[in-house]
Amino acid sequence: MQVFKFGGASVDSAKGVQNVCQIIAQHLDKPLVVVVSAMGKTTNALEDLLAANREKRDTMPIYNQIRGYHFQIVNELFPDKSHRIYSELESVFFTMMNSYKLSEEDYDYQYDQMVGLGEVLSSKILSYYLQYCEIPNKWVDVKTCIATDSTFREGKVNWSKSEIQIREVTQNVFSEYNCLVTQGFIGGDDKGRMVTLGREGSDYSAAIFAYCLNVENLTIWKDVPGFLNADPRYFKDTQKLDEITYSEAIELAYYGATIIHPKSIKPLQNRRIPLIVKSFKNPDAEGSIILNETSEKTKIPCYICKPKQVLISIYPKDFSFIAEQNMSYIFFVFAENNMKINLIQNSAVSFTVCADENKQHFGDLIEALSNNFKVRYNDNLELLTIRHYSENDIKNVIGDRTVLLEQRNRTTAQLVLSK
Ligand code: ASP
Ligand code: MG
């Protein structure tokens, strides 16, 4: 048994859906679970729709855009306008309209009932299109599989219940079909309500299925050829990592690599299920694989760039030392103001912190610190992390930029750079 996850970019057009169907068709020699995200940027659009409704703005333009986008894809895929997909979509859009009326006091609840519909739309379109291409498959409501608590927008998975449900549902489906199509990003609470798993949660959904079914492997189909050693938006000449370990993937994600969330890797690591990342644009190419141990001896340097950083230096006002009580107060102020710390360095008379710029809370943070300390800061900086660095890698990457802070251990170098 295998699990495939297709992200929003793979199904952002009729051509995209056709391509995904082709990929699925080539892999039906074993039972296959397909987890799909919302089409293109639908989740963002649904968030906008909800925001417009709450702010009492006109929702119609956004609603019509989401509706028009999906119907245009469906028109291209199903020329016969009496096909069932049309009435199925109408019924999802009807639910969407009605979710405006849900209790506005509970924002997170309302969010999940509306924003989760993006995946319902995409999975229905994909399932019907597979059927249209004579690929028998069964559409499954993921709420009957992934069990969560009722923490809306950040559902906590009930693993034992999910495992029982997933096994039962898949067993039933696979007794008749070879392919099951379901939604990423959502689970169901014990009242049968949609609970989303957090933004970009579809990878996690796929990992839950893979874990609960203890499958051979999980393949995530992306628009990149695999795990790259750097983000091609920031670096040229990126290299593909053919094999990496779960721990290395978790480390890279921790430093800010957007490959895959550590939350998705952990369940796979626990059952040693290999994770394959491949390109839906070039499905026959090798891709990357994450597993427990790799055979690769040499480590390719990996570059992770976090923009929008602020470096804050804190000094006692009275020339005393930065003592433990001061530290605990400083950490408290950062936590209070929701500022995520990425790196710290202290000396006898100062304490320096590199954090994500959080425009919303930054003023309050500086104000709170300034009550007790002298504070200086630089903003609009970049935090660059290099795993498996060499002196040359560091030199090349700095170029003519100024290094404001540098920290190294045996495997990792971190630099705070100004432009
Ligand atoms: N559609 C959801 C999002 O964009 C989940 C996902 O794509 O992983 O956040
Ligand atoms: Mg998405």
Side-chain angles (χ1 to χ4, degrees), residues 173-229:
V173 171
F174 290 140
S175 66
E176 225 180 304
Y177 301 87
N178 230 5
C179 179
L180 179 161
V181 178
T182 196
Q183 308 84 59
F185 187 44
I186 43 190
D189 71 358
D190 53 12
K191 295 204 176 90
R193 298 175 296 186
M194 279 204 278
V195 181
T196 64
L197 304 170
R199 284 301 308 265
E200 307 304 325
S202 295
D203 287 351
Y204 188 44
S205 307
I208 298 167
F209 272 93
Y211 173 91
C212 291
L213 294 166
N214 200 8
V215 292
E216 260 166 71
N217 55 50
L218 161 63
T219 307
I220 295 191
W221 296 87
K222 284 183 162 285
D223 55 0
V224 286
F227 284 110
L228 301 179
N229 73 328

Side-chain angles (χ1 to χ4, degrees), residues 13-302:
S13 62
K15 277 215 169 64
V17 176
Q18 286 164 333
N19 178 50
V20 163
C21 285
Q22 241 165 37
I23 296 176
I24 293 173
Q26 283 160 6
H27 292 89
L28 289 174
D29 45 334
K30 315 173 211 178
L32 176 66
V33 175
V34 176
V35 174
V36 68
S37 295
M39 296 176 140
K41 303 265 179 251
T42 300
T43 308
N44 293 350
L46 287 166
E47 284 186 345
D48 292 345
L49 179 62
L50 188 65
N53 178 54
R54 296 187 75 86
E55 292 157 15
K56 312 268 179 270
R57 284 186 277 124
D58 186 7
T59 53
M60 280 328 268
I62 308 172
Y63 173 80
N64 284 334
Q65 184 255 318
I66 300 171
R67 199 188 144 86
Y69 172 61
H70 284 88
F71 273 101
Q72 194 197 324
I73 292 178
V74 165
N75 282 333
E76 279 181 53
L77 295 174
F78 305 90
D80 173 7
K81 299 290 180 293
S82 64
H83 192 283
R84 230 183 108 196
I85 185 67
Y86 288 92
S87 58
E88 291 261 351
L89 287 204
E90 285 300 353
S91 114
V92 181
F93 281 105
F94 182 75
T95 311
M96 195 180 289
M97 281 297 239
N98 275 317
S99 44
Y100 293 153
K101 296 185 202 131
L102 296 172
S103 148
E104 290 208 6
E105 285 96 77
D106 193 346
Y107 174 77
D108 292 348
Y109 166 64
Q110 195 187 26
Y111 176 102
D112 280 3
Q113 307 322 301
M114 179 178 283
V115 177
L117 293 176
E119 271 68 11
V120 178
L121 291 167
S122 61
S123 60
K124 291 215 162 175
I125 295 172
L126 179 60
S127 168
Y128 274 114
Y129 191 68
L130 283 165
Q131 204 177 57
Y132 182 81
C133 300
E134 289 169 11
I135 302 169
N137 72 96
K138 175 95 179 146
W139 181 89
V140 166
D141 178 351
V142 76
K143 298 203 293 307
T144 64
C145 295
I146 297 180
T148 66
D149 65 0
S150 303
T151 316
F152 294 106
R153 295 189 69 183
E154 225 176 298
K156 303 274 165 309
V157 174
N158 178 335
W159 288 92
S160 49
K161 190 169 171 198
S162 300
E163 186 158 352
I164 295 169
Q165 296 189 153
I166 287 176
R167 283 181 178 260
E168 199 180 298
V169 170
T170 46
Q171 205 171 22
N172 280 337
V173 171
F174 290 140
S175 66
E176 225 180 304
Y177 301 87
N178 230 5
C179 179
L180 179 161
V181 178
T182 196
Q183 308 84 59
F185 187 44
I186 43 190
D189 71 358
D190 53 12
K191 295 204 176 90
R193 298 175 296 186
M194 279 204 278
V195 181
T196 64
L197 304 170
R199 284 301 308 265
E200 307 304 325
S202 295
D203 287 351
Y204 188 44
S205 307
I208 298 167
F209 272 93
Y211 173 91
C212 291
L213 294 166
N214 200 8
V215 292
E216 260 166 71
N217 55 50
L218 161 63
T219 307
I220 295 191
W221 296 87
K222 284 183 162 285
D223 55 0
V224 286
F227 284 110
L228 301 179
N229 73 328
D231 186 333
R233 283 175 304 175
Y234 302 114
F235 297 90
K236 19 180 223 256
D237 306 329
T238 53
Q239 251 177 297
K240 183 167 74 74
L241 307 170
D242 296 332
E243 288 184 351
I244 64 171
T245 63
Y246 298 113
S247 340
E248 183 66 14
I250 290 175
E251 288 281 350
L252 292 173
Y254 169 79
Y255 289 117
T258 49
I259 31 171
I260 178 171
H261 199 281
K263 199 162 108 174
S264 309
I265 300 174
K266 209 63 203 143
L268 301 174
Q269 182 176 27
N270 288 354
R271 287 202 169 156
R272 306 259 168 115
I273 299 165
L275 168 63
I276 301 163
V277 177
K278 290 182 86 161
S279 166
F280 59 79
K281 294 176 175 164
N282 189 4
D284 296 329
E286 207 40 63
S288 301
I289 182 160
I290 311 188
L291 19 74
N292 209 43
E293 267 168 53
T294 66
S295 52
E296 280 175 31
K297 294 278 173 306
T298 51
K299 299 256 194 280
I300 299 176
C302 292

Side-chain angles (χ1 to χ4, degrees), residues 4-15:
F4 280 5
K5 182 260 172 172
F6 291 97
S10 67
V11 286
D12 66 354
S13 62
K15 277 215 169 64

Side-chain angles (χ1 to χ4, degrees), residues 311-316 321-323 326-331 334 341 343-354 369 373-376 405:
L311 191 66
I312 307 170
S313 291
I314 301 157
Y315 312 84
F321 295 110
I322 288 274
N326 285 336
M327 302 259 203
S328 70
Y329 174 73
I330 292 168
F331 282 121
F334 272 86
I341 296 178
L343 193 136
I344 53 180
Q345 189 150 302
N346 65 325
S347 76
V349 291
S350 74
F351 186 76
T352 302
V353 177
C354 176
L369 290 173
F373 306 99
K374 205 166 85 190
V375 181
R376 294 234 171 87
L405 190 80

